[in-house]
Amino acid sequence: MGLLSSRPWRARVVAPREGDAAGEGGGGGAVVALRGSGGGRGGAAKRKRAAECPTSDSESDGESEREERLLNTPRRKKLKSTSRYIYQTLFLNGENSDIKICALGEEWNLHKIYLCQSGYFSSMFSGSWKESGMDTIELEIPDQNIDIEALQVAFGSLYRDEVLINPSRVIALLAAASMLQLDGLIQQCGETMKETINVKTVCSYYNSAGTYGLDSVKKKCLEWLLNNLMTHQSVELFKELSIVLMKQLISSSNLFVMQVEMDVYTALKKWMFLQLVPSWNGSLKQLLSEADAWFSKRRKDFEDGVSFLESEQGSAFLTVFRHLRLQYIVSDLASAKIVERDSLIPAGLRKRTRKNLKETVCDVAENLQRMVMLRLASFDGSGKLICSRTAGYQILTLEKDQEQVVMNLDSRLLLFPLYICCNFLYTSPEKRAENEGQPDSL
């Protein structure tokens, strides 16, 4: 290389920006920028231009003030190199380790001072446990959700500031974090679960949230199911919904039903079929006809007058069907005929419902007072609620052909498609008091 200048040069080392090839381990290091110290042609040219264009005293003072402010304004910078060094050197390489943790056939060379961030290890090392003086500890893993990969991430979280959580691995990581009592990691798992609730994850998230005490996640999953069970039905979802969870959904007044109670009955019939025949892999359009055909064959095996829910195979689902509002199903002739044909529900309940329906009609004819709740909602592709409006509960007294406005909407603020659900309650005070004294059974 030729001689650049007889004057000395200053070298400025510039750290590579995150994401550049040099910063990604692509063979580069820091960038070296050369700047003259005032000599050479460049310096002379600058001095010449400065002599031709002298700077006024006011401009010089202003420049000094700006430089002073710049020097005294603090800048917040996060030094990631230290965290990466600790993670690589101490955790991954296990340098200066003072304790070995063994679990699931794997070993980790770790450090007590970092492990004490875990409530599990903090209690172990500070108490009178025999493990407090041991340099090798064999962990028993009673939770089947915990695997080696989850333990690796959980242990590694003690050595770094940030943890990348893969939603497909969040339940295993939550299990490991719960066992090790890592409150911060548990909270991060919960936030990840809330953000990724969809038809494939909602049931597993709901069950895991109950197991590991994440009530806020459990509540979010229940809200998602109440909004999507009837509006976005799925074969996979019907297969995963347990009897206990389905009972909770059907009994809730917040279940989003856009049409009539008969649709709830039809959904339950499809769900019960998939619970009994989980190997069925057809489409949602084929599901109802397949379910009808399957239950039709089973009816031939029963004695006259015995319904499917009274059989040994169907008795487990009785607790769910009892929460149907049958009076709003048998009030429609076409729906009543389907219920009679299916013979899923005990005949005694159907007869009693028809009797109660006649009495309710008489009550309504005397005093047509209804409690109404109207709800509107929009959902994104994963079923997440993105827009919701409700008129709340209102008591309306309507005469024949009378209309009453219950909600005003600004079309500019609505997101389509828009789903509309309306709940009605007709029960008279006398009938409500009578029903409250009866046990909740078919």
Side-chain angles (χ1 to χ4, degrees):
M1 183 172 63
L3 182 64
L4 295 176
S5 171
S6 60
R7 299 279 185 175
W9 290 76
R10 288 197 297 268
R12 181 167 59 92
V13 181
V14 183
R17 293 177 298 174
E18 187 174 355
D20 289 346
E24 296 294 335
V31 177
V32 180
L34 298 180
R35 176 179 296 175
S37 62
R41 297 180 180 178
K46 289 180 181 177
R47 287 195 298 273
K48 182 179 180 180
R49 286 196 297 271
E52 293 174 352
C53 303
T55 305
S56 65
D57 291 341
S58 60
E59 290 177 349
S60 178
D61 293 342
E63 183 67 26
S64 297
E65 290 179 3
R66 284 193 293 271
E67 290 178 354
E68 186 69 22
R69 286 197 301 270
L70 184 63
L71 290 173
N72 288 281
T73 302
R75 293 290 188 268
R76 190 186 301 261
K77 297 293 183 181
K78 185 175 182 180
L79 299 177
K80 295 184 178 179
S81 58
T82 302
S83 176
R84 285 197 296 265
Y85 177 81
I86 291 173
Y87 182 76
Q88 178 67 46
T89 305
L90 299 185
F91 177 65
L92 294 182
N93 297 345
E95 295 185 14
N96 300 320
S97 169
D98 58 2
I99 189 167
K100 180 182 291 185
I101 304 297
C102 305
L104 301 176
E106 189 71 19
E107 296 180 353
W108 289 267
N109 294 312
L110 304 176
H111 309 78
K112 286 186 177 181
I113 192 170
Y114 285 95
L115 288 179
C116 282
Q117 298 174 84
S118 156
Y120 179 87
F121 287 109
S122 178
S123 299
M124 177 186 293
F125 298 149
S126 62
S128 58
W129 305 98
K130 65 178 182 179
E131 290 87 354
S132 61
M134 298 171 61
D135 55 9
T136 300
I137 295 176
E138 184 77 34
L139 288 185
E140 294 185 6
I141 308 297
D143 192 337
Q144 294 182 351
N145 287 328
I146 301 176
D147 55 20
I148 294 175
E149 184 180 346
L151 287 175
Q152 175 77 5
V153 177
F155 289 143
S157 70
L158 301 173
Y159 292 79
R160 64 196 316 178
D161 296 329
E162 300 174 342
V163 179
L164 183 63
I165 299 177
N166 189 333
S168 65
R169 300 282 308 152
V170 69
I171 294 178
L173 184 56
L174 174 61
S178 298
M179 190 194 83
L180 299 177
Q181 301 173 32
L182 301 174
D183 294 338
L185 188 55
I186 292 172
Q187 183 178 356
Q188 290 183 55
C189 289
E191 293 302 317
T192 300
M193 293 166 77
K194 290 178 187 177
E195 295 169 1
T196 56
I197 296 174
N198 57 50
V199 68
K200 295 182 179 180
T201 63
V202 62
C203 290
S204 59
Y205 282 2
Y206 179 87
N207 295 330
S208 298
T211 301
Y212 302 111
L214 292 180
D215 293 337
S216 60
V217 175
K218 190 174 181 179
K219 181 180 178 181
K220 279 285 185 181
C221 291
L222 189 61
E223 290 176 355
W224 190 97
L225 287 167
L226 288 169
N227 289 328
N228 289 272
L229 179 65
M230 300 299 300
T231 57
H232 299 83
Q233 293 185 12
S234 161
V235 172
E236 292 76 16
L237 181 60
F238 280 148
K239 287 182 178 181
E240 290 193 59
L241 283 171
S242 66
I243 291 177
V244 173
L245 184 52
M246 182 61 89
K247 174 185 174 181
Q248 188 173 0
L249 297 174
I250 298 301
S251 62
S252 174
S253 60
N254 293 320
L255 181 63
F256 207 102
V257 183
M258 293 185 296
Q259 299 296 330
V260 292
E261 191 73 11
M262 185 60 184
D263 293 330
V264 183
Y265 169 83
T266 303
L268 283 183
K269 181 165 55 173
K270 293 185 286 188
W271 164 76
M272 183 166 61
F273 165 69
L274 289 174
Q275 294 291 302
L276 295 166
V277 191
S279 59
W280 189 82
N281 289 316
S283 67
L284 186 63
K285 291 183 179 180
Q286 301 169 320
L287 182 54
L288 181 58
S289 59
E290 288 287 332
D292 283 335
W294 192 87
F295 287 118
S296 178
K297 293 179 180 178
R298 298 301 173 280
R299 283 197 297 271
K300 299 176 182 178
D301 301 332
F302 303 145
E303 300 177 1
D304 293 340
V306 176
S307 68
F308 181 79
L309 293 178
E310 292 174 305
S311 69
E312 181 179 355
Q313 196 174 21
S315 59
F317 303 94
L318 190 61
T319 181
V320 179
F321 277 82
R322 84 166 46 140
H323 290 285
L324 278 172
R325 285 78 168 170
L326 277 177
Q327 64 271 29
Y328 304 126
I329 296 177
V330 299
S331 60
D332 175 70
L333 181 58
S335 299
K337 287 183 177 180
I338 294 175
V339 173
E340 292 286 344
R341 179 207 66 193
D342 290 345
S343 190
L344 299 178
I345 300 174
L349 175 63
R350 300 197 301 268
K351 292 178 181 178
R352 188 166 57 198
T353 302
R354 285 193 293 268
K355 178 182 177 182
N356 292 340
L357 178 63
K358 292 179 181 178
E359 296 176 359
T360 303
V361 170
C362 294
D363 292 336
V364 171
E366 294 173 2
N367 182 18
L368 188 56
Q369 189 177 66
R370 307 177 182 182
M371 181 176 288
V372 180
M373 182 178 70
L374 182 68
R375 290 181 292 161
L376 295 91
S378 295
F379 307 95
D380 64 11
S382 65
K384 183 179 179 180
L385 188 67
I386 56 177
C387 176
S388 178
R389 288 284 305 276
T390 179
Y393 288 100
Q394 300 184 25
I395 295 179
L396 304 178
T397 302
L398 302 174
E399 298 179 357
K400 184 179 180 181
D401 298 328
Q402 180 184 357
E403 293 183 1
Q404 184 166 335
V405 177
V406 294
M407 182 186 295
N408 290 310
L409 302 170
D410 187 345
S411 60
R412 295 172 297 178
L413 304 178
L414 299 179
L415 298 174
F416 293 92
L418 191 65
Y419 296 85
I420 302 175
C421 171
C422 194
N423 290 12
F424 295 91
L425 181 65
Y426 294 92
T427 308
S428 65
E430 296 81 3
K431 189 59 61 180
R432 182 165 60 250
E434 178 185 337
N435 291 338
E436 287 175 353
Q438 294 179 352
D440 182 19
S441 64
L442 290 177

